[in-house]
Amino acid sequence: MKKNGGFQKGLKDSFKKHPLDYFCINSIFVFFVTIACVFAFVILTRMEGSALQRVIRIGPEFVGTITGFKALPLVVIMFPLIGGPLEAILGRRSENLRDSTVVDNTFISFILILAMYPQVARGSIHYTLGGLFGYGLTFHVDMLSFLMAATAGILWFLVSIYAHDYMGIERHRNRFYLWMSVTFGGILGTVMAGDLLTMFLFFELMTFSSYMLVAHNQSKESILAGDSYIYMGVSGGLCILLGMILLVTHTNTLEFVPLASALQGLGWIKYLITILFVVGFGIKAGMLPLHIWLPKAHPVAPTPASALLSGILIKVGAYGILRIATSIFVPSIEEISSYKDPLWEVSQKLGALIIWIGIITMLVGVFMALQQSNMKKMLAYHSISQMGYIIMGIGVAAYLGYKGAMGFSGSIYHIINHALFKALLFMAVGLVYMRTHELDMYKLGGLWKKLPFTAFVTIIAALGITGMPGFNGFASKSILHHAIIEAYEYGHHSFKYAEILFTIVSAGTVCSFIKLFSYVFLGKCPDKYKDIEGEKGMMDMAMAGLALLIIFIGQSPGYIFNQFIIPAARSLTYDPAFIDKYLVDMNFFNGHDMVGMVWVYLLGIAIFVLGKKYHLFHLHLPTWLSVENMLYKPLYKGVLGISHTVTDRYETAIIKSDVIIYAIVLVTTLALLVRFG
C-alpha cells in the first residue's frame, strides 16, 4: 500500500506542476503495454516447448513470421543503430518528440528481443552476414546471449523513461541520446556475436560510443575520467585483438567452440592467450587491478549513463570472460568423462586465478565503498565489489570444469540481478541529486519526508543488493555461496578462506547501505533542503518498474533459474547428472541459507555501529596504497622514459644524419648548377 500510495502521490505531484504532455501520455501507455507483454511472456515461457509453438502458430500470422525470422538478431542490433541518428534529427524540432521516440524505439527493441525466444527455446539462432572484412559477421543467439540481451533491453527501456526529466539539468541532450542508442546497439551486437571477430568489432563500438556518455558534460573532471576510460578501453581492445591473432594463428578459428584439445600442445602460448582475453574483457568488467576508470567515470557521468554503465555495460566485460571460459578453453562434451580429465587443465588453472581475482575485487571494492562520502562514487565501488561476485562465479565454473554448473548459474543470475538493483540505486541517487544538487551523503539527511517514494525504492534496491530473502539478490548470492563451497569440496582446501571472505564482504555490503540510507533519508533534514521540490512522476514510474522486477524475481527465483539459466547450462560442457541433482528444482528458501543471511545482516549492523563510533568510515589511506600510484603511474613513467631514451639515442641521431645528407645533396646540387648552369 505504501508503495502504491507513494507512486500515485509522485504522479499527482508531477501532474500538478507539469500537466500531462505528449511524452508523459506516451510513456505511461508504453510502460503498461510493456508490463502486459512481460506478463504474457512469463505465461508463455512456462508452457512446454510444443505448447509454445502451438500458441505462436494459432496467433496472428505476422507473429509467427517475426519469431521465425532467421535474421532477427541483425534487425535487433541495427534498430538502435539506425534509430539513434533519427532521434537526433527529431530532437532539433522537438525534445518531447525525440524523447518519446527514444522510449518507443527502446520498447520496440525489447519486444524484438523477446521475439527471439521461440527460436532460442528450440536450440539457437545462427545468422551470418557474409563478405564483410573478408571473414563475415556471425551472430549466434543461445539462451545465455538471450538473457543478456533481454536484461539490456528492459534496462534501456526504463532508463529512457527516467532520462527525460533528469537530462533537463544537462546540456547537449541530442548528442547524449544519439550515443546512448549507438551504445545499446554495440552491447546487443557484442552479446549476440557468434565469433570473436564479431564480438570484438561491436565491443569496440560499445567502448568508443560509451566514452561520449562518460565525458558528456565536458567538465575538466569528465574529460579526465573519459581519458582514463578510453585509454583503458583501447588497451583492453588491443589485448583482445592480440589474443584473437594468436588464437586464429594456432587453431585456425575464431568461433566459440571447444578448443581444449587444439590448445593442449601449445605450451606457454595457451596461457598467454588466456591472460590476454581475461585482461581485455576484465578491464571493462572493473576487475582489480584494472578497475581505475570506473570510480572516476560514475561520479561525473549523467545519472542515466551511470545506471546503464553499471547496470549492463560492465557486465559485457564479464560476459566476454564467461563466454570464452565456457567455450574456447573447455573440451567438447564427447571428449571428457569426468571433471578430472587432463583436458580441463587450462580451464582449471584459469579458474583458480579468476576465483582469487574475484575475491580480492569483492573485498577491495566493498572496503573502498565504505570510505566514500560521494554517493555515486560509493555505488561505483560497489559495482566493482559486485562484479567480484560475478567474476568469482565464473572462476568456479572454469575451475570445476565438468562440475562447474553452479558457478556458471550463479554468475549469470547475479549479472541479471545486479543490473536491476544497481540501476535503481543510481536512479534514486540521481533524483536526490537533481533536487538537492548534492552528492555528499554527510551533508544530507531527513529526505524521506520530501522524497518518500525514492526512499522506498532505495530500500527495495538495498535489500536486493544485500541479499535479503524475498528480494532478487538472495537467490544469486546463495548460488554463488554454494559455488565457492563446492570449489573447496571438489578442489583445493584454500578456497575455504575464500568462502569466509565472501561472508565478510556480504556483511560489508549490508553496512554500506545502512550507512547510505541513514545519512541520506533519516535524521534531521538540513534547512536549505526543507523547501525542495518533490518527486517526478515519470522518474518514479521508471524506478517502480525496476522495483517490481526486483520483488518479482525475489518472490519467484525459480522462474528465471529453471526457464532460462538451467537450459543455458545444459547447452555447455557441464555434467547433466550434476545439473539434475543440484540445480533442477533448487529450494532457494531453505533454512540454512536464510539463517546464514541473518548472521550476515547482524555482522553488517555491527560493522556499521563500530565504524560510526570509531570513525572507520573516514580513514585517510596513504597514497602509496593507491593502485594507480603503485602500478599505472610507474608504468606510464617507464614507458615515457623508454620513449625519451629511444628518441634521444636514435631518433635525434637519425635526424642529424638526415640533415647532413640533405646538406650534402643540396650543396652538390648547387655546385652542379653553378658549374653547368
Side-chain angles (χ1 to χ4, degrees), residues 331-352:
S332 65
I333 194 73
E334 297 83 11
E335 294 177 315
I336 45 94
S337 57
S338 74
Y339 74 100
K340 293 184 178 180
D341 196 290
L343 285 175
W344 287 109
E345 178 191 4
V346 177
S347 182
Q348 287 170 347
K349 290 182 178 179
L350 169 65

Side-chain angles (χ1 to χ4, degrees), residues 120-140:
V120 173
R122 291 197 298 267
S124 62
I125 310 174
H126 194 84
Y127 182 77
T128 300
L129 195 63
L132 293 176
F133 305 103
Y135 195 83
L137 295 180
T138 302
F139 302 99
H140 183 84

Side-chain angles (χ1 to χ4, degrees), residues 2 44 51 53 119 157 161 223 262 270 311 325 382 384 400 444 514 518 532 568 575 579 674:
K2 286 182 181 179
L44 289 172
Q53 300 306 321
Q119 293 187 71
F157 169 68
I161 295 175
I223 297 300
K270 61 177 177 280
H382 263 298
I384 294 169
L400 294 181
L444 298 170
I514 294 174
S518 62
I532 62 172
D575 183 3
I579 294 172
V674 170

Side-chain angles (χ1 to χ4, degrees), residues 67 179 187 268 341 343 353 462 494 503 527 566 599 617-618 677:
T67 57
W179 293 111
I187 288 173
W268 63 271
D341 196 290
L343 285 175
L353 174 66
S494 65
T503 303
D527 291 338
I566 289 178
W599 289 110
F617 303 141
H618 309 279

